[in-house]
Amino acid sequence: MKNLSIGLNVALLVAVAVLYYLHFASPSGKSNASGSNGVLLQDAKIAFINADSVLKYYEFLDVNKKVLESKGQKMEQDFRDRAQSLQNDVNLYQRTVNNMTFGQAKAAEEDLAKKQQNLQLYQQRLQQELAIEEGKLNKELYERITKFLKIYAAQNNIQFVLKYDPTSDVLFGGETLDITKAVIEGLNTEFKSEKGGNASKADTTKTK
């Protein structure tokens, strides 16, 4: 569980934004192409978020990651207990096998082999359950962030939101394009409102 991987794939047309512009730009450097909302591509407003910072400070992820880790630790402890029980049976067999008949020894070995097989299947089932839970968390995380970004972008006249991290195609972004802080604050405000059961959520997406 130490290496629990929570992936964030919130890149909204990272390199595509550039390719889209180049595709519609005229040879002279001027472009008359426009998006569905009539905004000229060369006038499109672009912003970016630091994915690592969002993952680090988004309270929804922090809370649910701890829940998932706790569940994983309980699963791991349960498996260890079962493995120890099997080891105790093996130790008992080894201490008493010389006093068994051939038939008794064979039956004991078959029983131990079956228990070992069941333990392996149980371990696989636990791993699958944990992977499913992690996948659900990843999916909800992605949906929450992209949903928020769509609203934020619409309210602030932003056409493209890029993801910035060490593995992204964005090598540099000016501070004026960085909306990470505002996004984190907005996401956390929404999450706190949900936890508090506040039906009327404050509008925190509009920049000042």
Side-chain angles (χ1 to χ4, degrees):
M1 291 305 298
K2 293 182 180 179
N3 295 322
L4 180 63
S5 173
I6 305 294
L8 174 64
N9 296 315
V10 295
L12 302 179
L13 305 179
V14 180
V16 179
V18 178
L19 294 175
Y20 190 71
Y21 170 78
L22 293 177
H23 175 73
F24 286 100
S26 63
S28 62
K30 297 181 180 181
S31 173
N32 293 321
S34 62
S36 59
N37 60 357
V39 177
L40 293 178
L41 293 180
Q42 67 265 31
D43 296 329
K45 186 177 179 181
I46 298 175
F48 71 89
I49 60 171
N50 187 308
D52 291 339
S53 295
V54 173
L55 288 176
K56 182 177 180 180
Y57 296 110
Y58 188 14
E59 294 179 14
F60 163 82
L61 177 57
D62 183 56
V63 170
N64 286 276
K65 184 177 179 181
K66 288 178 180 177
V67 171
L68 188 58
E69 288 176 342
S70 178
K71 185 174 182 179
Q73 289 170 358
K74 290 180 181 179
M75 287 180 172
E76 183 177 355
Q77 185 59 52
D78 184 46
F79 173 77
R80 288 180 178 177
D81 292 342
R82 295 187 182 218
Q84 184 60 54
S85 177
L86 175 59
Q87 185 60 50
N88 293 339
D89 290 344
V90 172
N91 293 341
L92 178 62
Y93 166 78
Q94 292 175 340
R95 290 196 305 267
T96 60
V97 63
N98 292 332
N99 299 324
M100 295 180 183
T101 64
F102 176 79
Q104 290 174 330
K106 182 178 180 181
E109 290 173 358
E110 290 177 350
D111 182 59
L112 289 174
K114 184 177 181 180
K115 288 181 177 179
Q116 182 179 17
Q117 182 181 22
N118 289 337
L119 182 63
Q120 292 174 341
L121 292 174
Y122 180 69
Q123 182 184 34
Q124 293 174 4
R125 182 165 66 84
L126 291 181
Q127 292 173 339
Q128 290 175 352
E129 288 181 5
L130 198 60
I132 291 174
E133 291 296 323
E134 185 177 345
K136 290 180 180 178
L137 178 56
N138 283 335
K139 184 175 183 293
E140 185 174 0
L141 176 68
Y142 174 84
E143 289 176 347
R144 280 175 167 268
I145 293 177
T146 52
K147 180 180 178 181
F148 179 88
L149 287 175
K150 288 177 182 178
I151 297 174
Y152 182 96
Q155 293 179 341
N156 292 279
N157 194 31
I158 297 173
Q159 281 70 50
F160 297 105
V161 178
L162 310 182
K163 179 188 72 170
Y164 174 78
D165 63 26
T167 63
S168 69
D169 295 328
V170 181
L171 301 180
F172 172 77
E175 292 184 3
T176 57
L177 303 179
D178 188 353
I179 60 173
T180 304
K181 183 178 179 181
V183 168
I184 292 174
E185 290 177 351
L187 286 169
N188 285 336
T189 298
E190 280 190 347
F191 181 58
K192 289 177 181 178
S193 178
E194 292 172 6
K195 288 173 59 179
N198 186 355
S200 57
K201 299 179 182 179
D203 181 2
T204 60
T205 59
K206 192 68 177 179
T207 57
K208 298 180 179 180

